[in-house]
Amino acid sequence: MLPSIRAAGCFALLTIGAGLPGPASAQSAAPLQGLTDAELDLLLSATDLLDPNGFLPGVIAPDLPFRVAPFMNRTVVGSVIQPFSTKVVVRTTLNPETASAIAEGLLRRDGWLDMYPTNPTMEVFQDAPGSTTRGAPLLCKPGLGGQMNINVFPNGSGLTQVNYSFQAFGAACPSGRARTTPNAYESVYENAVDPLQTLLSSGVTIPVLPAPAEALIEPSGNEYSGSYYKTYAKVFSSLSAEQVRAAYVGRLNAQDWATTSSTRKGSELISTVRRTFGKRTLTATFALTPVPARPA
């Protein structure tokens, strides 16, 4: 049996190079007014928010560039507006297969397309065999700068959770033309070459990391350019954080990424690995942050 989504989890991050921060949008700060200054600072730091206005529990953020499906018996968990990205979380009584088909089908009817050909290197953190997590391919919409993906999985209490993740940047959408009227989501990358392909064409191979046995994976996003690749995911498992790290580092080692160091910084577990591609040697950092279990 797969572990409950309420089981203790970990936030996994693999960085080959460095990522870039950015500004956030604003909505209502009322839900966070009861926090102390220290609690508010911790929440904003942990969620990459620049101010509390991006935290919207129980609300679908307004002015989204995509439609959230009106699922049967839908419950809105809320929205989080981060630098250059928006996440919307809803739950439904539908099964994951049906919910995934409805969510992706609505986006495709609205003109969203596959952003890239099917490419296993795009998904570093992959499901364990037997997982019921459902993920749609990375999508884009001609004329709309940005990229979209949906992750659908059982939340452990008899409901299906649907996570919409939109990043307001990305390579040009295939066969797309820019809008003649500017909008908030137009991208500076509209006519750019796919940066991941630039990285891969240099001979670099992005590792593929299947989850530990019976774990649930919630991919949270990735960032990349012609010189770096960064991807992150939530891992729900009954294993300890040390066991999860050992499993993932073992998978990296099996793909010729040699471990150079493993350390602990507070609760965060950090391992550094290295691999040579021709005349180029790359160093990658795998970081794992335990997430306390939520009460059932």
Side-chain angles (χ1 to χ4, degrees), residues 64-271:
L64 292 172
F66 59 90
R67 281 202 291 166
V68 177
F71 299 108
M72 179 185 300
N73 299 325
R74 186 181 73 178
T75 299
V76 178
V77 179
S79 308
V80 177
I81 303 173
Q82 295 173 302
F84 294 121
S85 69
T86 299
K87 183 173 184 177
V88 178
V89 180
V90 298
R91 290 174 183 156
T92 175
T93 55
L94 296 172
N95 62 51
E97 292 83 357
T98 302
S100 181
I102 291 174
E104 183 179 345
L106 179 60
L107 290 177
R108 292 191 182 279
R109 287 194 297 276
D110 286 346
W112 290 81
L113 309 171
D114 290 332
M115 191 164 191
Y116 305 111
T118 302
N119 184 351
T121 63
M122 286 296 298
E123 293 296 338
V124 170
F125 292 105
Q126 299 193 344
D127 297 328
S131 170
T132 53
T133 300
R134 294 291 180 270
L138 198 63
L139 302 175
C140 65
K141 189 173 182 179
L144 180 66
Q147 58 193 38
M148 179 82 194
N149 73 312
I150 312 167
N151 292 294
V152 183
F153 53 90
N155 79 333
S157 61
L159 297 176
T160 292
Q161 183 157 315
V162 183
N163 291 357
Y164 290 83
S165 298
F166 176 78
Q167 294 180 321
F169 57 87
C173 200
S175 303
R177 292 184 177 180
R179 291 178 183 268
T180 56
T181 303
N183 68 76
Y185 294 98
E186 282 185 345
S187 172
V188 296
Y189 298 106
E190 188 67 35
N191 298 309
V193 176
D194 177 5
L196 180 61
Q197 294 306 317
T198 300
L199 179 63
L200 298 178
S201 66
S202 68
V204 174
T205 300
I206 303 298
V208 176
L209 302 179
E214 297 187 346
L216 284 176
I217 302 300
E218 180 190 338
S220 298
N222 51 55
E223 304 168 23
Y224 45 82
S225 72
S227 60
Y228 78 88
Y229 185 93
K230 179 178 181 180
T231 185
Y232 31 97
K234 291 179 182 177
V235 183
F236 297 94
S237 173
S238 58
L239 300 175
S240 69
E242 285 284 4
Q243 290 173 317
V244 173
R245 172 167 69 171
Y248 277 120
V249 171
R251 285 158 172 70
L252 287 166
N253 294 160
Q255 295 173 66
D256 298 325
W257 290 85
T259 303
T260 58
S261 68
S262 290
T263 60
R264 177 187 291 270
K265 184 177 181 181
S267 62
E268 186 177 31
L269 306 176
I270 304 172
S271 293

